[in-house]
Amino acid sequence: MELLTHADCRPAARKAFLAIGPTALAFLERALADRSLPRKVRRHLPRTIHRFETQWALDILQAQLLEETDGAVRYKILRALVRLRANDSGLRIDHEAMAELQRQTLERAVAIADRCVHLEEGQRQEPSRRTVGGDLLVASLREKETNALERVFRMQHILRPRESYQLYWRGLNSRDRTRRAASRELVEHSFTGAVRDAVLAMTDDAPIAARVQEASAALGMSLEEGTYEGTLEGLIDDASETIRS
């Protein structure tokens, strides 16, 4: 397992796990659930598990995705699940659990964007808050929002593997207005319900405050009236290590 952390050895280590067979997969399942292992090891386990390309491998990844607290490992699990479903759409997933996780991820993106609104408004009210740290915090929140939205699209690919959701996502982020419009139309026909309405709102060209209000209304979220100081206090207790720092 330690060889997975070395790029030159990783392919051979993965082949060895596959050669060992079910015993190795059971070992990898225990390792992925073991949060005492270093992140540098755990982040390479999902793709190793994915190589088995079985229902058991998918079940391991899906179960851990619902429980994982480390964002880096969770992202690797998500990518591995996308590959598994793309290679074999017949593999069964828990649609209800995945759809709920997708909604939670979208709500997280909206909540992060709302915090960004409060910080930027606080900076406008008091320009002295526009410090290097303040600007870095806003930039970090924007990146977190974008990452969360991308994961929503990856989850949609797991739910409906025959659709090219990564192409939709890249199209929405294109500088070409025609391509963005075409991608929005595809999203409108591919997503459904409140998730569709919230995704369209969050990927619109409207100001961030308007996007947050529309998306939160679609999801039935209640956003608190926050102050600059209150927002900072909340970020200190955020689940993300990057934001807390």
Side-chain angles (χ1 to χ4, degrees):
M1 184 170 63
E2 290 292 333
L3 295 179
L4 292 174
T5 64
H6 301 280
D8 292 340
C9 302
R10 197 173 302 137
R14 285 175 170 156
K15 288 181 181 178
F17 276 120
L18 283 172
I20 295 169
T23 301
L25 187 54
F27 170 83
L28 290 167
E29 179 178 15
R30 293 191 298 272
L32 185 60
D34 185 357
R35 293 188 175 89
S36 67
L37 289 175
R39 174 188 287 178
K40 66 178 183 178
V41 173
R42 295 185 70 234
R43 65 193 300 270
H44 294 296
L45 297 177
R47 192 169 180 182
T48 306
I49 293 170
H50 140 265
R51 295 295 180 88
F52 285 81
E53 297 187 341
T54 62
Q55 183 64 49
W56 183 12
L58 185 142
D59 292 342
I60 292 169
L61 293 169
Q62 181 175 239
Q64 191 61 35
L65 179 66
L66 301 175
E67 301 292 333
E68 187 56 55
T69 57
D70 187 307
V73 177
R74 189 166 57 244
Y75 182 66
K76 292 290 187 178
I77 295 173
L78 190 56
R79 291 185 64 180
L81 279 169
V82 168
R83 290 191 183 97
L84 266 176
R85 286 280 283 170
N87 292 341
D88 186 353
S89 61
L91 294 175
R92 300 179 305 277
I93 66 161
D94 186 334
H95 279 263
E96 185 175 341
M98 188 61 63
E100 177 58 27
L101 182 60
Q102 182 187 49
R103 184 186 178 97
Q104 290 174 8
T105 305
L106 186 51
E107 289 177 349
R108 169 72 169 165
V110 175
I112 289 172
D114 185 51
R115 287 174 165 179
C116 202
V117 169
H118 293 313
L119 291 182
E120 290 183 320
E121 178 60 28
Q123 290 179 344
R124 280 192 292 270
Q125 292 174 356
E126 193 172 318
S128 63
R129 292 167 172 160
R130 287 294 305 272
T131 62
V132 173
D135 289 345
L136 283 173
L137 182 55
V138 170
S140 178
L141 287 174
R142 285 176 174 165
E143 183 179 11
K144 288 287 183 184
E145 175 199 343
T146 300
N147 290 343
L149 287 173
E150 183 193 9
R151 293 181 188 202
V152 168
F153 277 75
R154 288 186 183 274
M155 291 175 192
Q156 190 71 6
H157 191 82
I158 295 172
L159 290 166
R160 298 177 64 176
R162 291 185 176 87
E163 299 281 351
S164 301
Y165 290 99
Q166 287 305 299
L167 292 178
Y168 301 172
W169 172 249
R170 287 197 289 270
L172 289 171
N173 289 279
S174 171
R175 295 182 179 180
D176 188 316
R177 294 181 63 182
T178 302
R179 187 179 177 191
R180 287 202 309 272
S183 295
R184 284 182 62 80
E185 186 174 344
L186 289 168
V187 167
E188 190 169 0
H189 287 88
S190 301
F191 287 77
T192 59
V195 169
R196 175 195 59 209
D197 295 341
V199 167
L200 287 172
M202 291 299 288
T203 56
D204 195 15
D205 294 331
I208 185 171
R211 292 192 286 111
V212 167
Q213 288 300 321
E214 187 176 348
S216 61
L219 294 169
M221 295 174 61
S222 57
L223 300 175
E224 297 181 2
E225 290 291 334
T227 64
Y228 183 84
E229 291 81 1
T231 299
L232 290 177
E233 289 175 357
L235 293 174
I236 290 172
D237 296 325
D238 194 84
S240 166
E241 180 182 1
T242 301
I243 293 177
R244 291 198 306 272
S245 298

